[in-house]
Amino acid sequence: MTATVPALGTRSAEGSALQAVLLDMDGTLVDTEGFWWDVEVEVFKGLGHILDDSWRHVVVGGPMTRSAGFLIEATGADISLVDLSVLLNEGFEDRIGRTLPLMPGAARLLAELYEQEIPTALVSASHRRIIDRVLAFLGPQHFGLSVAGDEVSRTKPDPEPYLLAASGLGVDPARCAVVEDTATGVASGEAAGCRVVAVPSVAPITPAARRTVVNSLEEVDLAFLRGMMTEMR
């Protein structure tokens, strides 16, 4: 876990059930879920294997150890998990170095949370080297801290990343809103006891008792998040 700026205060959360907002990165704030798949396809093509497009739904949103491990097993590629992870990270860094599109509504939401002094964390299954590149683009001032997939003992769908983020911000997980785009991330946030806003990027996500599903971040603002927390109490 890395604190990018000192954790923000909770003054603006007074009178609201909302204490903090914990945001996923790939496919939630930045439109990069497709980047990962494109890189995986390219790397495995270089290894002499063609990836089945149906596998995209299996690997989306997961930690690299799981997604890369699945693709090695599925293809029978002669490469170690460590070596494949290096190739995938290098390929992804090259992609985001050329372009890094934001998801619709992401810039406005981050600006509003920052202006209203809502404690906010970036919680991703991506490695620290990737997160730091994206943070430089998003603006590190928007986040009190960030949690990377290679900094936890158990990453998503385990609750550890979101529990660590809530602890780092000094807030109650039950009073945190998690924003995610995949079933894996949603499961992590819910297992941590957080309220979840799902913005599906690749595969559909169904509504549930502790979960609100929207079509885009353009539907999400501070009033929406506070209202969601109040309704779920």
Side-chain angles (χ1 to χ4, degrees):
M1 180 176 68
T2 297
T4 53
V5 296
L8 301 173
T10 58
R11 175 181 59 81
S12 63
E14 292 176 3
S16 168
L18 180 68
Q19 286 187 336
V21 179
L22 315 177
L23 297 132
D24 174 55
M25 187 177 77
D26 294 302
T28 299
L29 293 177
V30 288
D31 191 6
T32 50
E33 287 292 8
F35 285 15
W36 280 114
W37 179 248
D38 290 345
V39 169
E40 287 160 348
V41 168
E42 184 177 302
V43 167
F44 275 89
K45 184 178 180 180
L47 296 171
H49 298 276
I50 303 299
L51 299 188
D52 190 315
D53 196 60
S54 66
W55 296 342
R56 180 174 182 178
H57 297 291
V58 179
V59 301
V60 66
M64 185 170 292
T65 51
R66 190 197 75 186
S67 58
F70 168 82
L71 292 174
I72 290 173
E73 182 176 353
T75 61
D78 184 19
I79 188 171
S80 70
L81 183 59
V82 171
D83 289 342
L84 178 57
S85 296
V86 170
L87 291 178
L88 293 176
N89 274 319
E90 288 177 348
F92 187 78
E93 283 189 274
D94 178 65
R95 291 292 178 108
I96 63 176
R98 287 181 269 156
T99 181
L100 188 54
L102 284 174
M103 297 299 289
R108 179 213 24 93
L109 178 60
L110 289 177
E112 182 182 17
L113 295 175
Y114 180 72
E115 290 166 2
Q116 296 300 316
E117 299 184 11
I118 302 298
T120 305
L122 187 66
V123 184
S124 176
S126 291
H127 289 187
R128 170 55 56 188
R129 60 186 285 188
I130 300 297
I131 288 182
D132 285 345
R133 291 285 299 273
V134 177
L135 274 172
F137 175 79
L138 292 174
Q141 73 276 10
H142 291 115
F143 304 96
L145 57 86
S146 57
V147 177
D150 56 343
E151 295 174 341
V152 293
S153 56
R154 297 176 302 278
T155 189
K156 303 174 186 179
D158 192 271
E160 182 181 343
Y162 283 111
L163 291 174
L164 184 60
S167 175
L169 291 175
V171 296
D172 180 358
R175 295 181 65 182
C176 291
V178 162
V179 186
E180 274 280 1
D181 73 304
T182 67
T184 299
V186 167
S188 177
E190 290 179 343
C194 305
R195 311 298 188 182
V196 177
V197 180
V199 193
S201 63
V202 175
I205 298 173
T206 57
R210 299 177 61 84
R211 179 191 318 159
T212 301
V213 180
V214 298
N215 294 316
S216 167
L217 281 184
E218 293 181 315
E219 300 176 38
V220 181
D221 58 14
L222 183 52
F224 176 94
L225 294 172
R226 283 178 167 163
M228 178 189 72
M229 300 294 290
T230 301
E231 290 171 4
M232 291 182 175
R233 276 197 286 181

